[in-house]
Amino acid sequence: MNIALVGHPLSGKSTLFSALTGIAAGSSGYSEKSRLGTVKVPDERLDWLGELTKAKKIIHAGLEFTDLPGLSFATAGDQQQSLKLIGAIRQADMLVLVLRAFENPAVPAYRERIDPGADFAELSSEFLFCDLEQVSKRIEKLEVQITKPTPQREHQKQELALLEQGRQSLEAERPLSEIIHTPEQAKMVSSFGFLTEKPLAVLVNVSEGQREAPPKVQTPEDVPQLALCASLESELMQLGAEERSEFMAEMGVETLAAQRLVGCCYERLGLVSFLTYTHDECRAWTVPGETPAAEAAGKIHSDMQRGFIRAEVVAFEDLKAAGSFKQAKADGKLRLESKQYLVQDGDVITFRFNV
Ligand SMILES: Nc1nc2c(ncn2[C@@H]2O[C@H](COP(=O)(O)OP(=O)(O)OP(=O)(O)O)[C@@H](O)[C@H]2O)c(=O)[nH]1
Ligand SMILES: [Mg+2]
């Protein structure tokens, strides 16, 4: 899973990236390089399990974020640069749109406005436009291809029908996500990386003083929205644990940005975590919801998937209530599950396998 931080120039993407990953922002200002970083997924359950099993090591799950240069459509030159960037954005599984609301006279404002709503509208319409162009090109190609009697012809006809529906949707300024309903349809278009098919979240980057009453951006219902002050959060990230909690209390920050954003992405992407333990380490793993146990095992090692025998599962809450694995077993809470079992969030799993 890769989540891209996308927005206009100087909206605070790199500052947010530092706040999430702890990787220093480097020099501020227009940056041309993308950066990749992993954000630790906070999980109190893992800490509890670590204590119970006296694990030497605790390894959190990670979510990968990409910090991208700003997208500008203000001049023809900028637009060309931005279109190149779109290619990189198409690779992401989810987009977090970073919109500037903070006032800072030292930082030039995109199009000389500080208006997160207008920025959201501009990005959305550019995304629609980029997808429309790509869909139209593909339709043109398919129209020629289906005139030839090839073995792929049936499939091409289906794709054409779907993309024609897509084009209508885009022309009506509706995202492609609205016409993609089945896994087959999703598969048909997955190689294009359409922007308007991707899950979105909006992050309004506010000034310290705006945190109490952050401006709200008009977004579609399925787009979650967070407001935070990226510069404050990145300062917090630089501190040691003790100093950080003192400063957080002082500044009235209850939950760190990383935790809020990771939670929001988990929910939007439908991800769940399962936990594993050995006498050495406790570890959390991320999988999409509805992942069968054998596939989840494959996330740890391909041998585990290949030689899968069974999964020994206890739900974290049951384990916690029982207080020990032994008691959980006595309570009948330890289950033996097969390959097809769908892993639930918070499952504590030991995979049995044989290769
Ligand atoms: N006051 C204030 N300044 C901020 C905030 N977030 C970012 N800045 C400042 O805005 C400037 C730009 O921030 P960056 O994080 O580099 O912005 P960016 O979106 O990565 O910029 P590009 O990569 O060039 O598009 C920096 O000088 C930051 O210190 C904020 O929440 N409040
Ligand atoms: Mg940047």
Side-chain angles (χ1 to χ4, degrees):
M1 284 289 159
N2 177 281
I3 300 162
L5 304 179
V6 177
H8 291 313
L10 304 178
S11 63
K13 300 174 294 299
S14 300
T15 308
L16 174 68
F17 181 77
S18 306
L20 296 175
T21 60
I23 300 172
S27 56
S28 60
Y30 196 86
S31 47
E32 281 169 5
K33 274 208 212 109
S34 305
R35 295 185 301 167
L36 205 62
T38 303
V39 180
K40 188 171 104 171
V41 177
D43 195 334
E44 285 173 2
R45 300 172 300 195
L46 188 62
D47 302 329
W48 189 92
L49 186 64
E51 266 179 39
L52 179 76
T53 60
K54 305 200 169 49
K56 293 191 195 105
K57 230 168 44 184
I58 290 186
I59 305 174
H60 287 81
L63 260 193
E64 192 182 85
F65 281 82
T66 308
D67 175 27
L68 290 160
L71 284 174
S72 168
F73 305 94
T75 69
D78 285 355
Q79 198 143 12
Q80 274 215 321
Q81 280 298 112
S82 296
L83 290 179
K84 279 191 209 152
L85 256 185
I86 295 282
I89 300 175
R90 290 196 192 284
Q91 316 283 323
D93 296 299
M94 174 170 175
L95 311 180
V96 173
L97 302 188
V98 182
L99 309 175
R100 172 173 178 175
F102 67 86
E103 301 277 349
N104 182 344
V107 179
Y110 177 69
R111 291 191 191 275
E112 286 165 36
R113 69 179 180 215
I114 294 180
D115 185 344
D119 290 346
F120 178 74
E122 181 173 337
L123 289 168
S124 305
S125 81
E126 290 294 343
F127 289 175
L128 284 167
F129 180 75
C130 287
D131 280 355
L132 182 57
E133 216 175 49
Q134 210 181 7
V135 165
S136 306
K137 268 193 210 149
R138 180 69 185 159
I139 287 178
E140 255 174 56
K141 228 187 209 165
L142 284 169
E143 276 170 345
V144 177
Q145 282 175 347
I146 57 159
T147 60
K148 296 170 197 148
T150 63
Q152 294 86 30
R153 191 164 161 182
E154 250 339 280
H155 188 264
Q156 288 166 344
K157 278 187 182 167
Q158 286 174 12
E159 188 188 333
L160 182 59
L162 182 65
L163 291 183
E164 272 170 347
Q165 240 185 310
R167 178 160 65 184
Q168 276 181 18
S169 175
L170 292 165
E171 280 171 349
E173 297 183 22
R174 309 299 306 170
L176 285 173
S177 54
E178 286 185 6
I179 61 126
I180 310 237
H181 305 294
T182 67
E184 292 74 35
Q185 291 173 328
K187 196 166 166 218
M188 215 177 262
V189 299
S190 67
S191 63
F192 300 107
F194 288 126
L195 302 169
T196 64
E197 201 210 336
K198 295 189 191 297
L200 277 189
V202 157
L203 191 142
V204 184
N205 186 12
V206 299
S207 309
E208 275 186 39
Q210 286 173 302
R211 287 178 300 134
E212 293 272 301
K216 190 116 175 72
V217 174
Q218 279 281 340
T219 57
E221 233 172 69
D222 61 346
V223 178
Q225 188 169 154
L226 286 182
L228 54 86
C229 175
S231 52
L232 172 65
E233 297 276 353
S234 90
E235 280 169 33
L236 286 169
M237 198 63 180
Q238 311 299 324
L239 302 174
E242 201 170 311
E243 244 184 313
R244 182 187 300 152
S245 33
E246 273 173 33
F247 195 36
M248 279 172 74
E250 201 177 305
M251 296 305 293
V253 179
E254 268 174 35
T255 318
L256 284 177
Q259 192 160 356
R260 291 172 62 200
L261 190 57
V262 162
C264 169
C265 294
Y266 249 62
E267 197 168 314
R268 189 64 189 82
L269 287 166
L271 301 175
V272 301
S273 291
F274 68 92
L275 313 177
T276 59
Y277 64 95
T278 63
H279 42 268
D280 282 336
E281 64 176 44
C282 278
R283 185 159 178 171
W285 307 81
T286 305
V287 286
E290 312 263 290
T291 297
E295 250 176 71
K299 175 115 192 149
I300 302 174
H301 200 290
S302 55
D303 282 351
M304 277 196 177
Q305 180 165 9
R306 213 157 35 91
F308 184 97
I309 301 170
R310 63 175 184 268
E312 293 173 13
V313 184
V314 53
F316 177 80
E317 291 308 329
D318 291 339
L319 176 62
K320 195 173 174 187
S324 71
F325 283 100
K326 204 171 157 200
Q327 188 58 45
K329 194 171 180 185
D331 295 346
K333 298 293 187 188
L334 198 68
R335 292 173 274 128
L336 297 183
E337 301 285 2
S338 70
K339 267 182 189 183
Q340 291 86 16
Y341 168 72
L342 301 180
V343 171
Q344 306 293 307
D345 188 50
D347 277 351
V348 181
I349 309 183
T350 305
F351 293 106
R352 299 289 171 210
F353 68 107
N354 186 9
V355 281

